[in-house]
Amino acid sequence: MLRNWITVIGFSLITAISTNVYAKDLPDFTELAEKHGAEVVNISVTQNVRAGRNAMPFPGMEGDEQMQEFFKRFGIPGMPGMPGQNGAPQPDYKSQSLGSGFIISSDGYILTNAHVINEADEVIVKLSDKREFKAKIIGADKRTDVALVKIEASGLPKVTIGDSSKLKVGEWVAAIGSPFGLENTMTAGIVSAKGRALPQENFVPFIQTDVAINPGNSGGPLFNLAGEVVGINSQIYSRSGGSMGLSFAIPIDVAIDISNQLKASGKITRGWLGIAIQEITKELAESFGMKNTNGALVAGVEKNGPADKGGLEAGDVITKFDGKPIMSSADLPRAVGSTKPGKIAAVEILRKGSAKTLNIGVGEMPNDSNEAAQSNKPESKAEANKIGLTLKELTPQQKKKLNGKNGLLVIDSAGLAAQAGIRRGDVILGLNNSETQSVEQFNKQINAVASGKTIAVLVLRGENTLYVPIKVAK
């Protein structure tokens, strides 16, 4: 009996000690919430919706702010002109959505997401002490999803800006915001990854966390344990619209740079080369005779753009830009975008296996991209080549749209080409580092490729160019 009691007491003591040690290892967020909650604001956006302008896709949701925020950011876009239940057009109404933000200066400058205040007719900022102010939009940058607004107030509590470059994977972080309109809600987690590149988000090296972020958190701050803001909560990965443990924040250094430009001029100036790039896969590296997949592959060069004038060509691999190593294609837009237009930048490249350095004058990124087009008319009498492509040469009118370049229109794709993703309507611009001249020449080049070797076919699709690797069958 005594032995059993000793065993029970010993087990309980070990459990209590281990629990106490574990509790001591966990961070305490209470001080952070008490000291910094007042620096976070609730943002309410009103949009005057007219019939045919961004109408909600389902009647009866006009007053449901949570569902509107869900559809606006994470769900289905509005369907203009959607009829009501009786078949008549919907009447005009006010659409409202919610977001978060944080005060960066005591005189009323507030950072949030660009998507939070997009197309807003009125922005209302609500402080933690329940005071409300009508805010003025200073500017917004959709490429980074950063916006700056201003309220007429003074003596406001402001955040302390941290250094996002010092964040480490596994470090504890916390978010404060208004998920589903529930003001000053805190959630916590760890940094899951850094420098995360997302589709269509080339200018932001996102901080990935497992902090619970939901609709309404957008634009709110991400704090480290020192109470410093290290990011702006911007996006989530979700199949349901709610948190699934994958959230993404804009690093605060990126956001502050954008806010400074917006405050100074109301617009953002970025460097620009005028090229299309793509990631280098193992197959593409093999086709270009490269030893690794480092760098950004130039898939297209805009005629008379900065890169064209500086001597950059399709097929070049950029390994360093203005002294900054380019390890992947995601590194290049950030390096170029942060470069002041007009600067002469040294660009190190690999061209047909040889290293070269080009000095290129960086241009200013235009607001609207140039459009390229091609015809998609079917032609059926040509024969398929070795990799399954049936091609025809472009007409003079089609060549004119390509600035006089030669190209071959894909009128059918089968076999190896179809498996690699080339489809009808694409335009073939080149093979490896050689431009196409004619269907006959291209097919001869294909026939000369040894079995088992990988080739890189340069394809134009819409206004985008990309290399497609194809391994020729044995």
Side-chain angles (χ1 to χ4, degrees):
M1 177 68 72
L2 179 61
R3 182 180 298 174
N4 290 340
W5 273 107
I6 292 172
T7 302
V8 170
I9 292 170
F11 178 77
S12 300
L13 184 61
I14 292 171
T15 303
I17 291 172
S18 61
T19 302
N20 191 40
V21 170
Y22 179 68
K24 285 182 178 178
D25 288 339
L26 289 174
D28 184 357
F29 293 100
T30 56
E31 186 176 350
L32 193 156
E34 290 170 0
K35 285 188 174 181
H36 303 286
E39 300 159 359
V40 184
V41 303
N42 172 274
I43 295 178
S44 176
V45 174
T46 301
Q47 181 183 354
N48 297 320
V49 180
R50 299 171 182 82
R53 180 191 172 205
N54 297 335
M56 287 296 296
F58 302 107
M61 289 186 181
E62 293 85 348
D64 192 331
E65 296 175 0
Q66 295 178 12
M67 287 304 297
Q68 288 184 36
E69 169 66 8
F70 174 85
F71 281 108
K72 181 178 179 182
R73 183 59 180 160
F74 305 107
I76 304 169
M79 300 179 183
M82 188 79 170
Q85 292 178 336
N86 58 1
Q90 287 185 345
D92 297 350
Y93 64 91
K94 290 183 181 293
S95 171
Q96 291 187 316
S97 58
L98 299 174
S100 303
F102 54 97
I103 304 165
I104 60 171
S105 67
S106 57
D107 58 348
Y109 283 97
I110 294 168
L111 274 182
T112 186
N113 284 148
H115 77 260
V116 169
I117 53 90
N118 185 41
E119 297 185 359
D121 291 302
E122 184 180 63
V123 177
I124 299 297
V125 170
K126 186 177 181 180
L127 306 184
S128 62
D129 60 10
K130 307 303 179 184
R131 286 185 294 165
E132 294 187 3
F133 297 85
K134 186 174 180 179
K136 176 184 178 182
I137 298 175
I138 304 300
D141 178 44
K142 291 184 179 180
R143 294 181 189 273
T144 56
D145 198 21
V146 173
L148 182 67
V149 301
K150 173 78 164 62
I151 61 175
E152 293 302 322
S154 60
L156 299 175
K158 64 176 183 176
V159 299
T160 300
I161 301 300
D163 187 348
S164 52
S165 67
K166 292 182 179 179
L167 272 180
K168 295 181 179 180
V169 174
E171 182 175 340
W172 282 95
V173 285
I176 301 178
S178 304
F180 302 108
L182 302 172
E183 300 168 18
N184 275 92
T185 297
M186 172 179 277
T187 52
I190 63 167
V191 176
S192 310
K194 290 180 62 180
R196 185 70 78 195
L198 301 180
Q200 309 302 320
E201 301 285 357
N202 293 329
F203 294 95
V204 179
F206 284 97
I207 302 165
Q208 180 182 319
T209 77
D210 67 354
V211 177
I213 299 297
N214 287 288
N217 274 117
S218 294
L222 184 72
F223 289 98
N224 61 18
L225 287 182
E228 301 168 331
V229 174
V230 290
I232 303 179
N233 298 308
S234 175
Q235 298 188 35
I236 64 173
Y237 175 82
S238 176
R239 293 178 178 177
S240 64
S243 174
M244 293 185 70
L246 282 176
S247 58
F248 301 93
I250 304 159
I252 195 61
D253 59 325
V254 173
I256 291 298
D257 175 63
I258 296 298
S259 70
N260 288 339
Q261 291 190 56
L262 291 173
K263 189 175 179 180
S265 63
K267 67 174 185 176
I268 303 301
T269 300
R270 289 190 175 87
W272 174 67
L273 290 182
I275 60 174
I277 58 172
Q278 69 181 93
E279 196 73 22
I280 302 172
T281 62
K282 183 179 178 181
E283 293 79 11
L284 285 172
E286 179 186 337
S287 70
F288 286 113
M290 296 172 59
K291 296 180 180 179
N292 54 50
T293 59
N294 295 343
L297 176 61
V298 179
V301 180
E302 185 171 318
K303 188 175 178 64
N304 295 323
D308 185 33
K309 293 176 181 178
L312 205 61
E313 299 175 359
D316 289 344
V317 175
I318 299 176
T319 56
K320 189 176 286 189
F321 178 85
D322 199 27
K324 301 171 185 175
I326 305 300
M327 301 304 294
S328 69
S329 61
D331 296 334
L332 188 62
R334 300 168 194 162
V336 176
S338 62
T339 303
K340 188 175 181 180
K343 181 177 181 179
I344 304 298
V347 183
E348 297 182 21
I349 65 170
L350 288 175
R351 179 177 292 169
K352 298 181 180 179
S354 300
K356 295 187 67 174
T357 299
L358 304 174
N359 293 314
I360 301 177
V362 178
E364 182 175 344
M365 180 176 289
N367 291 326
D368 299 315
S369 58
N370 294 329
E371 293 187 58
Q374 84 275 349
S375 174
N376 191 17
K377 294 180 180 179
E379 187 82 17
S380 57
K381 292 188 178 181
E383 293 183 1
N385 60 21
K386 186 176 180 179
I387 59 174
L389 288 176
T390 304
L391 306 166
K392 80 166 189 174
E393 293 172 20
L394 299 180
T395 65
Q397 292 81 5
Q398 291 168 339
K399 286 184 180 180
K400 188 176 180 181
K401 292 179 181 179
L402 295 177
N403 296 316
K405 288 185 178 180
N406 288 314
L408 306 176
L409 181 66
V410 177
I411 57 177
D412 195 19
S413 178
L416 296 174
Q419 293 171 21
I422 298 178
R423 59 192 188 218
R424 185 174 134 186
D426 288 345
V427 173
I428 307 298
L429 298 178
L431 178 64
N432 292 339
N433 288 305
S434 301
E435 293 184 2
T436 58
Q437 301 298 326
S438 65
V439 173
E440 183 182 3
Q441 176 236 22
F442 182 82
N443 288 342
K444 281 184 179 180
Q445 288 178 305
I446 293 293
N447 291 334
V449 175
S451 296
K453 185 175 180 181
T454 301
I455 58 174
V457 181
L458 182 59
V459 175
L460 172 68
R461 179 173 296 159
E463 58 182 26
N464 300 313
T465 53
L466 70 158
Y467 277 97
V468 178
I470 300 176
K471 191 167 187 176
V472 177
K474 293 181 180 180

